[in-house]
């Protein structure tokens, strides 16, 4: 099993009614050099300007992005090529990020290579430090700028630091 840190940007709160604009993935390993980035054309006429603004893209720009089925196939191919065994999805906000990735994989490819589960980095951190009021974000080195590869990399840095500091064994 290999941890894949994922971050997504979307133009609304739920998949299907709204669109995933872009996503990034980083294989959690020293160096954090193996990454994936995808930008996806909207699947819906619905979008919330404030939500889209977080991504830094305009609606007109997103309309020029690649077809979602193509991007999801590229991502599935990348996972097959880069990961030995089953990939494990981990994210800062896995409830949000996983819901979009899961929906897009099932809708466009009929299967999600991550299966039906994911891990929340914030919850993992709270458990390791044994304090429900702590936050891992001070462990990031890469600035959180809403580019999904940068955000996934920063979260992966935090996980690697957490593993080193607490002797956690990562797959």
């Amino acid at each position: 099993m290999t941890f894949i840190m994922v971050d997504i940007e979307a133009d609304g709160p739920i998949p299907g009614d709204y669109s995933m604009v872009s996503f990034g993935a980083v294989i959690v390993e020293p160096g954090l050099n193996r990454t994936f980035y995808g930008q996806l054309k909207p699947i819906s006429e619905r979008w919330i300007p404030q939500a889209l603004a977080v991504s830094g893209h305009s609606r007109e720009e997103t309309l020029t992005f690649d077809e979602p089925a193509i991007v999801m196939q590229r991502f599935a191919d990348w996972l097959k090529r880069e990961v030995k065994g089953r990939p494990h999805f981990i994210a800062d906000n896995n409830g949000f990020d996983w819901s979009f990735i899961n929906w897009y994989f099932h809708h466009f490819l009929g299967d999600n290579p991550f299966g039906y589960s994911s891990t929340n980095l914030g919850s993992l951190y709270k458990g390791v430090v044994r304090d429900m009021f702590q936050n891992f974000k001070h462990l990031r080195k890469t600035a959180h700028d809403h580019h999904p590869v940068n955000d996934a990399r920063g979260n992966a840095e935090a996980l690697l630091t957490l593993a080193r500091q607490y002797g956690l064994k990562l797959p």
Side-chain angles (χ1 to χ4, degrees), residues 151-167:
D151 294 354
R153 181 176 280 116
N155 293 335
E157 291 163 350
L159 179 57
L160 288 173
T161 298
L162 181 64
R164 275 194 308 276
Q165 287 180 350
Y166 291 92

Side-chain angles (χ1 to χ4, degrees), residues 95-164:
F96 182 76
D97 297 331
W98 186 85
S99 69
F100 276 89
I101 294 291
N102 182 56
W103 189 94
Y104 272 71
F105 265 134
H106 280 285
H107 185 79
F108 291 105
L109 302 184
D111 186 48
N112 180 354
F114 292 107
Y116 293 98
S117 62
S118 64
T119 297
N120 182 283
L121 178 59
S123 297
L124 176 65
Y125 181 78
K126 289 171 184 357
V128 169
V129 301
R130 302 174 59 95
D131 185 341
M132 294 297 290
F133 300 99
Q134 291 298 310
N135 190 305
F136 74 91
K137 295 178 182 182
H138 66 283
L139 299 176
R140 293 173 175 156
K141 294 177 185 147
T142 300
H144 190 83
D145 63 3
H146 294 287
H147 185 289
V149 173
N150 293 342
D151 294 354
R153 181 176 280 116
N155 293 335
E157 291 163 350
L159 179 57
L160 288 173
T161 298
L162 181 64
R164 275 194 308 276

Side-chain angles (χ1 to χ4, degrees), residues 11-14 16-19 42-49 59:
D11 64 10
I14 58 172
D17 289 347
Y18 298 94
S19 304
I43 61 167
S44 168
E45 295 299 318
R46 295 175 67 182
W47 57 286
I48 299 170
R59 179 66 173 189

Side-chain angles (χ1 to χ4, degrees), residues 9-14 16-21 40-63 100 104:
E9 299 298 330
D11 64 10
I14 58 172
D17 289 347
Y18 298 94
S19 304
M20 181 164 55
V21 173
L40 306 90
K41 184 180 285 191
I43 61 167
S44 168
E45 295 299 318
R46 295 175 67 182
W47 57 286
I48 299 170
Q50 298 88 339
L52 180 58
V54 172
S55 73
H57 299 290
S58 70
R59 179 66 173 189
E60 293 73 28
E61 186 179 6
T62 65
L63 293 171
F100 276 89
Y104 272 71

